[in-house]
Amino acid sequence: MEAHHEYRVHAFGAGGRSGVVRAEGVLPCISFSAPPEFLGEPGRWTPEHFLVAAVTSCFVSTFSGIAEKSRLEFGSFKLDAEGLLDNSDGIWRFTEIKLRPTVSVLKEEDRDRAIRLLEKAGKSCLIARSLQCKVVLSLTVKIEEELSVLARV
């Protein structure tokens, strides 16, 4: 793998505090606005959402790659995330991003390995490593057998 990669994105103003972002060869374009709390349009993607989404998508792809290489079979994977934006000394910045992955594994004996791989993904996600804010991982590993037993009740 090369030691240098570039990712180009183009943004266009669409009036007010809104715009459209696109990347060459990537569909679709994404319209965005500043958040409503910064006088943007409600119900739109914001740059703040993009940052949290970048961390979560990086974590998902990193964990999936690590799990595949480690031959960890899992039934499902989901990730909830929350970015905390604070104003300290008149400067807005992200202070923390909370990642809450949940993985269901097929066998009890895979639980500890799944935990280790989730923790490794947290340390390996290049987007999270590039940020100045703290990235906190609160993980959950469920056993598929437990899920199927609960479904029968």
Side-chain angles (χ1 to χ4, degrees), residues 7-11 21-24:
Y7 302 91
R8 293 189 175 95
V9 174
H10 308 281
V21 67
R22 72 171 181 84
E24 195 170 307

Side-chain angles (χ1 to χ4, degrees), residues 13-87:
R17 296 174 187 227
S18 299
V20 175
V21 67
R22 72 171 181 84
E24 195 170 307
V26 178
L27 292 175
C29 294
I30 303 170
S31 63
F32 66 91
S33 177
E37 53 272 22
F38 295 113
L39 306 176
E41 295 179 39
R44 306 277 299 273
W45 277 90
T46 69
E48 292 78 4
H49 286 110
F50 290 153
L51 177 71
V52 177
V55 174
T56 58
S57 59
C58 181
F59 186 93
V60 168
S61 59
T62 300
F63 173 75
S64 297
I66 290 171
E68 181 181 316
K69 271 192 163 180
S70 300
R71 292 183 170 84
L72 174 71
E73 292 184 40
F74 59 92
S76 66
F77 176 76
K78 73 173 191 133
L79 176 61
D80 294 322
E82 177 182 9
L84 304 177
L85 190 64
D86 288 315
N87 186 331

Side-chain angles (χ1 to χ4, degrees), residues 11 18 27 30-31 53-55 73 98-99 106-107 112 114 122 138 140 152:
S18 299
L27 292 175
I30 303 170
S31 63
V55 174
E73 292 184 40
K98 298 177 181 179
L99 300 178
L106 306 176
K107 307 176 274 201
D112 290 340
S138 301
T140 302
R152 283 188 241 137

Side-chain angles (χ1 to χ4, degrees), residues 102-140:
T102 301
V103 175
S104 66
V105 293
L106 306 176
K107 307 176 274 201
E108 174 66 41
E109 53 266 23
D110 287 335
R111 180 190 300 267
D112 290 340
R113 188 159 60 114
I115 290 169
R116 284 193 310 275
L117 296 181
L118 286 165
E119 290 170 342
K120 183 175 181 179
K123 293 175 185 164
S124 302
C125 171
L126 67 94
I127 302 287
R129 285 195 325 238
S130 300
L131 300 175
Q132 290 184 359
C133 69
K134 180 170 44 171
V135 178
V136 178
L137 187 64
S138 301
L139 55 94
T140 302

